[in-house]
Amino acid sequence: MRSLLRAIKNHPELELQLVVAASALLDRYGSVHTVIEREGFHIDRRVYNIFEGENLLTSAKSTGMGIVELASAFSELAPDMVVTIADRFETIATAIAASYQNIPLVHIQGGEVSGSIDEKVRHAITKLADLHFVSSARAAERVIRMGERSDRVYDTGCPSIDVVVDALAKPPLSTSELFERYGGVGDTLNLDDAYVVVIQHPVTTQYEASRRQVLETLHAIAESGVPTLWFWPNVDAGSDGTSGGIRAYREEHSLPHVHFFKNLPPDDFLRLIDRSRGIVGNSSVAIRECAFMGVPAVNIGNRQRGRDRGRNVIDVEHDRKQIRDAIDRCVAAGRFESDLLYGDGESGVRIADHLVTVPLSVEKTLTY
Amino acid sequence: MRSLLRAIKNHPELELQLVVAASALLDRYGSVHTVIEREGFHIDRRVYNIFEGENLLTSAKSTGMGIVELASAFSELAPDMVVTIADRFETIATAIAASYQNIPLVHIQGGEVSGSIDEKVRHAITKLADLHFVSSARAAERVIRMGERSDRVYDTGCPSIDVVVDALAKPPLSTSELFERYGGVGDTLNLDDAYVVVIQHPVTTQYEASRRQVLETLHAIAESGVPTLWFWPNVDAGSDGTSGGIRAYREEHSLPHVHFFKNLPPDDFLRLIDRSRGIVGNSSVAIRECAFMGVPAVNIGNRQRGRDRGRNVIDVEHDRKQIRDAIDRCVAAGRFESDLLYGDGESGVRIADHLVTVPLSVEKTLTY
Amino acid sequence: MRSLLRAIKNHPELELQLVVAASALLDRYGSVHTVIEREGFHIDRRVYNIFEGENLLTSAKSTGMGIVELASAFSELAPDMVVTIADRFETIATAIAASYQNIPLVHIQGGEVSGSIDEKVRHAITKLADLHFVSSARAAERVIRMGERSDRVYDTGCPSIDVVVDALAKPPLSTSELFERYGGVGDTLNLDDAYVVVIQHPVTTQYEASRRQVLETLHAIAESGVPTLWFWPNVDAGSDGTSGGIRAYREEHSLPHVHFFKNLPPDDFLRLIDRSRGIVGNSSVAIRECAFMGVPAVNIGNRQRGRDRGRNVIDVEHDRKQIRDAIDRCVAAGRFESDLLYGDGESGVRIADHLVTVPLSVEKTLTY
Amino acid sequence: MRSLLRAIKNHPELELQLVVAASALLDRYGSVHTVIEREGFHIDRRVYNIFEGENLLTSAKSTGMGIVELASAFSELAPDMVVTIADRFETIATAIAASYQNIPLVHIQGGEVSGSIDEKVRHAITKLADLHFVSSARAAERVIRMGERSDRVYDTGCPSIDVVVDALAKPPLSTSELFERYGGVGDTLNLDDAYVVVIQHPVTTQYEASRRQVLETLHAIAESGVPTLWFWPNVDAGSDGTSGGIRAYREEHSLPHVHFFKNLPPDDFLRLIDRSRGIVGNSSVAIRECAFMGVPAVNIGNRQRGRDRGRNVIDVEHDRKQIRDAIDRCVAAGRFESDLLYGDGESGVRIADHLVTVPLSVEKTLTY
C-alpha cells in the first residue's frame, strides 16, 4: 500500500489518516509500524488486537477484537471513507467496523480467487464494500458478477506492483547490505551466487497439515543444495504448524546453505527477489510481483489456486521431488519478460485520483 | 427458527446445541431466552455482547464482541456445523466465529434484497457460508449468481412460515388473554373490533431520519382513529431515533386508541396479527408471514425494498397522508388468499432432514 | 469532580485531558458528557464499555471492557498521571489500566467505609494508587493503616462539596425552571411547598432484595403524602430490581404527589435539595453534601454503613414504618448548621495545587 | 497449585472445577494445560486472553479481556467459591470477575512484599478477597493489618512447597531424562557435574532496563564458566527486553556451557534444581522452594525485595561482578538445612480441609 499511502498524502485534495493494527505492530513480524514511520507517515492509531495462541479460536477472537478497537478508532478519526486491502482477518474487521458506522468502504484487491478461508473473507468484504479497486480485468469481472454495480468497480492494477517499481529504481541489494542490516539466522550467503527465496505460509483451513507441508519444502531445499534465503511465515492461524516444522527440522538437520529472516522492508525484500534465480513457496508475491519482475516462481500447493498467472509460474504439489525438480528448472530458466497482468506500477496514483471523485455513498443493493 | 429447533431436537440423527446471544437475552426485547426455555429447549450458552449506547459505534462494537464470545462458545461446544439465520450483526458475528474455526456454516434466508446495511451483511454472510437454505426461488437464483455452487443452495421455504402454522393451530387470541398476559401501556382495546398492528424499525443507514419517519406513522394512526396495537422496535443502531420519536409524540399527544407493547411470544404475536385488519410499518412480517396468512399490509419506506411481495402489500412512503390512505384501503379490503411465496409451513422439518446428509466441507471457491 | 476539572484546566502548570466513559455517555443516565461539554470542557476520549443486561455478569464484563478500552486511551494520551474518584467499576478499570502502564495513579475518596462490593473495590483501588486525596481525617487514617505511606495521603476534603458551594451561589431553583427544563414523569409540584427528594440505589451484593427494598420506600412515601421528587437509580448491577420495583408500583398505584426524574445537572440537583425539607434513600449525597448544606436526611439500609455522619442523618432500616416516621421527623426538624466533616468547598483548588508538586512515582511497598 | 488441585479433587465434600487461562495455554510457556491434563485433571474452561505485543499496553488489555472471559466462565460454571493464587494479571482478573458476581473469593499467597506492580496487584486482590490462605506468619500479620478480619486469614504455608515434597519423592533427574524429554537449545550438559540454574524475569515497572539487566547475568555466567541450565522468562510486560537481550547475546557470543529451556513440568524442574549447586536470577523459586530444599540462591535485583528469606539466599545487584562472585560462593557453599519458612509440604490438604468449613460470605468491611 505504500505507493497509495504516498499518493494520498501528497494529493492536495486528500488527507491521510493511518490506522496500523494486528501483526504490523509486532516485533516478530518485523515491526512494520516502524518501517511506516521511517518512510515519513504519521500513524494516527495503533490497534493491538491479536490474541496469543495462534490457533483457529484466537484467529476468530482477534477478528472480533479488531472490530471493537477499529470501531473506536474510526469513530474518533471520523474519516470520509475507509480504504482497506486484501483478505485477512484485520481486513474484514476493518470492513465491519466501517460498514456499521456508515462510513463508505473502499476495498482494494477484490475479485481474486484462492480457495481458502481467505477467499471466503475476500468476497464477504466485497459484499460490504461500496467501492472496488481491483488488480486485473478478470477480478473486475468477478466483482461485477457477484452483483456489484459496474460503475463502482475500477480496474486500477494492484498497488503492490508500484512498490516493485520503487524498489527496482534503487541499485541492486548487496550481500553486505543484506546481512549487516537484517542479521537473521544461519551462515552468510553470497548474493552474487545463484540463490532462491522461500516463503511458505500455513494454509489456514488445513491446520494440521501445515507442518507436514513445510517439511516437504525443507527436504527439497536441502536436497537441491541451492543457496536459499528463507522468510518466516506471517501471523495466521496455523503458523505454529509451519514455524514448528521449520524449527523441528533445524534441530535435527544441518542447513548450511539456508539463511532465515523474519521480515524485510518491502524495498529490500523486492530487490532481493529481483536478484534471485527464483521464488519458492506459496506467497502471492510469486504470482503478482514476480509476474511483473519476470522472476521464475515455484508455487506449491493450493494457496494461490485460482489466481491468474503469468508465464513465470510453475505449479507443484507439496511433494519434495516435484518441488526440487521445479527449483532446478527455475534456476536453469533465467528471467522472463515483464507481464503487466497485475498492474503497471502506477496504481497508487491512479487510485488516489479516483478517491477524490468517487461517490461517497453507503447505499447499495444487488444488481440482480 | 422454532420449527427448525424443534425438528433438529426431535431428529434421531441430529443433536441440538443452542447458543442464545444479543437482544434475545435482554428484558427490554422481551427476554426471548425465557420463551425458548419455556418451550422446552436447553440453552447451552448465553452470550452477552451488546454494548450500551444504541449508536452506530456500539453496533459495530457489539458485532466484534459477539465474535470474541461466540468463538469461545463454538470452540467449547465443538459442533459439526453452525446454523444461523438472516442479516443482523449477531448473524455476521456468528458467521465469522464459525468460518475462522473451520466449522461448516449453514445460512438461512440468504439471497434476499432490502437495500441497507442489513443487505450488505446478508450477502457477506452468503460469501462466508458453506450451505444455503433460502426462502424462495428468486433468493436461490441470487445466491447462485453471487458465485455459490448450485448444489449447496436449497430452496426450502422460510421456517418463519412454519411458526405461523403452529400459531394458527390454536384458537384465536382473545382480548383478555392479550391484556392480562402482556400489560403494555395505554387503554385496553377490544380485539373484536377492527384493529391494525404497527411495527416500525429504524432504518440503520438513515439514523437521523428515524425519528422524523416514525412521526409520520404516528400522525397517520392518530388521524385514522383505527384501534391500534403498536410494538416497540428491536435493538438496532438508530432505535433511539424511532423510540425517541414515539416517546416524544406520546408526551405531547393523547393516543387513546393506541396500545403499546414491547414484545410478544411468536405464537401470540401471530395470532394477534391474524385477527387484525392489517399490519402497518416496515417489518418483514408484513411481507413474509402476512403473505402466507393473507393479512393486508401497509409497507412504509424502503426497508423491505427488493423483497418479493405477495398480493397483500401496499407500498407507501414515509408520508402521513399516503400511510393513512393505505390503512383505510387495508381495513376495507379484508383478507387475501394464502400465498406460498415464502414457504408452505414445512421448512423446519425439510431443513433438518437436509442437515443429516449435506456435505460438511469448509472448502469453497467462486463458481466463475 | 467539576471543581477539580476546572481547577486543573485553569492551572498554568497543569494540562487537562478528559476521558469520559461508562454511564456518563448514556442517555438513560442523563448524558453527563453533554453536561461536561456545555460547561466548557473538551472531551479527549469517549469510552463505551457497558454491556447491556444489567446483571452481575455484565457488571463484571463492563469492568473488563473498560480496562481494554481505557488502556488504549491512556496509551494514546500519554498523561503524566491519571486521576480517578470513588469506588465504581469504571474506577477500578481506570486504576488497572493506569497501573499496568506505569502511569502514576491518583485516587480521590479513598479510605471510606460502606460495606458492599463498592467498599472492596474502593480499598483495592487504594492498594493500586500512588497518591491519595481523601475526604476526611478518618479516611486518611484508614488509608495509612492499610499500609500506605503517610506522605502520599492528603486530607483535602471532598471536591463534591465544592460543587455545593458553586450551586448555592446561584438563586434558588424555581418550580418553573425545574419542570420546564427537565420534564420528568408525574404531576407538577410546587417547590414553595415542603417537599422531599428520594434517591435509592440498588445494593449491589443484595441483588434480589433491591426490588423488595424500594417497595418499602415507595409505600412510606405514599403513606406520608409529602410532595416528593424521585430520582431513578444509577447504572449498577441490580438496577433492574430497583427500577423494576418502581415501575411495578406505578402500574398498580397512583402517586399523584410524586414526580420522577432521570437525572439533573449537578447545580440544579443541589439547589433542589437545598430547598427541600429532607432527602430520603441511600445516596451518599445525604451523608456528604447534605452534611455541608445542613439538609435533614433519612438514610435507609446499610449502603452508607461505616460512613462518617454529621448531625443531619437519621438511619433507618428498609421498613416502611421506620422510613415514614423518619420522614415526618425530618420535615418537622428543619435545617441544621453546616458541618465541614467532608470538606469546606475548596478541595478542587487544593488538589490541583498538590498535583503540581506530588512525586510522580509508581514504586511503592507496604509500610509494614 | 497441584497439591491443592489434587486435595480438592480427592476430597469427598468438594467438587473441583478448573479454568485454565493466559500463559498456561501457550506453547511458548510450556503448554501447562497439557501438563495439567496429563496429571488427570479435567479442564472445564480454557480462556485465551493474552494480547500479543508484550508491552505495557497489552498487559493491561490482557487483564481486561481476562475479566470479560472469566466472568462468562464463572457465570456458566456457577461455583460456590473461586480460588486463585499470587499476584499476576490473570489473578486480579479472576478476583474482579468473581467479586462483581458475588462469588466468594479465596486468595492464596496474600500479604507478601515484592515492591513492583505485582505487589500493588497482590494487595488489591487481598482487598477484594473474602478468605486468605497465606504462606507465612508474617504474611498473615500483614493481611490482618491491611484491615482484614483475623478469622478470615489462615496461615497454611504455601502449596508450592507441597510440590517440592512430591517431586523429591521421585529419584533424581538423570541427564538423559532431561535432554531426551525437553530438548532445548545448546550443548548437552552432564547433570553429574556441578551446575547452576538461571531464571530471570523482566521487572515489570522497569521495562527498558530488562535487556541491560539480563546482559549482566549473561556476562557473569559466561565468565564463571559454570555449566548452566537457563530458563526463558514467563509472559509479562517486558519479556521482550529480557528475551531480546538473551537472543542478542547469543548471536554475538558463544555459550557452550549454557543450555536453554522454555519450561519444564514442575516435578522435573524441581528435581533439576534439587540436584543443582545453586539457582541464579530473580525467581520466587529461589526464595520459597529453595528455602525448603536448602539450595543456595543468588537473588539478583529487587524483584523479590521484601520477601522473607531463609539462610540460602545471597542478594546481589544487577552487576556482573557481584553476580559472578555470588555464584562462586554458592557453588562452594553446598546445601543448607531445610527451612519451613514457607510451608511444610502439607498446605494443599490443609487448605482443602478448610474450604469445606469456611464461611461463604461476600460481605466484608474494614476492621478499623
Side-chain angles (χ1 to χ4, degrees), chain D residues 10-164:
Chain D
N10 293 339
H11 200 293
E13 294 175 72
L14 296 171
E15 178 194 354
L16 178 64
Q17 293 177 318
L18 195 50
V19 178
V20 175
S23 59
L25 292 169
L26 300 180
D27 279 8
R28 64 189 182 103
Y29 302 103
S31 292
V32 174
H33 65 124
T34 64
V35 177
I36 290 169
E37 289 188 317
R38 210 178 309 128
E39 298 197 2
F41 297 103
H42 173 71
I43 296 177
D44 289 278
R45 283 290 185 288
R46 285 174 164 79
V47 169
Y48 289 89
N49 65 300
I50 298 191
F51 281 80
E52 272 212 68
E54 295 200 1
N55 53 42
L56 301 174
L57 171 58
T58 54
S59 275
K61 290 170 89 83
S62 297
T63 309
M65 190 48 53
I67 296 171
V68 171
E69 301 261 319
L70 290 167
S72 294
F74 297 162
S75 172
E76 287 162 15
L77 297 172
D80 293 310
M81 63 182 98
V82 164
V83 181
T84 192
I85 189 165
D87 59 7
R88 289 174 51 82
F89 62 75
E90 59 266 32
T91 317
I92 196 162
T94 301
I96 289 174
S99 299
Y100 272 112
Q101 293 188 88
N102 292 337
I103 305 170
L105 177 69
V106 178
H107 185 221
I108 299 174
Q109 286 189 354
E112 303 191 18
V113 172
S114 56
S116 69
I117 177 66
D118 295 338
E119 183 178 336
K120 288 178 174 175
V121 166
R122 185 185 297 268
H123 303 326
I125 296 163
T126 290
K127 299 315 298 178
L128 294 169
D130 300 293
L131 294 158
H132 313 272
F133 292 103
V134 300
S135 298
S136 68
R138 287 246 5 234
E141 185 208 327
R142 288 195 200 99
V143 168
I144 292 164
R145 289 187 68 176
M146 277 188 271
E148 300 299 299
R149 285 171 54 164
S150 59
D151 61 347
R152 302 287 158 90
V153 181
Y154 304 77
D155 176 9
T156 57
C158 183
S160 62
I161 305 303
D162 305 10
V163 180
V164 180

Side-chain angles (χ1 to χ4, degrees), chain B residues 28 50 52 61 65 69, chain C residues 28 50 52 61 69:
Chain B
R28 64 190 182 103
I50 298 190
E52 273 212 66
K61 293 170 87 83
M65 189 49 51
E69 302 260 319
Chain C
R28 64 189 182 103
I50 298 189
E52 272 210 68
K61 291 169 88 83
E69 302 260 320

Side-chain angles (χ1 to χ4, degrees), chain A residues 274-313:
Chain A
D274 190 55
R275 291 196 60 177
S276 78
R277 288 300 178 93
I279 181 165
V280 177
N282 59 11
S283 167
S284 64
V285 168
I287 309 295
R288 305 170 79 92
E289 285 83 351
C290 289
F292 181 79
M293 290 193 278
V295 170
V298 178
N299 177 61
I300 311 172
N302 59 22
R303 191 165 181 264
Q304 301 301 329
R305 188 176 54 191
R307 286 236 162 103
D308 300 332
R309 278 145 174 69
R311 289 164 299 244
N312 67 314
V313 178

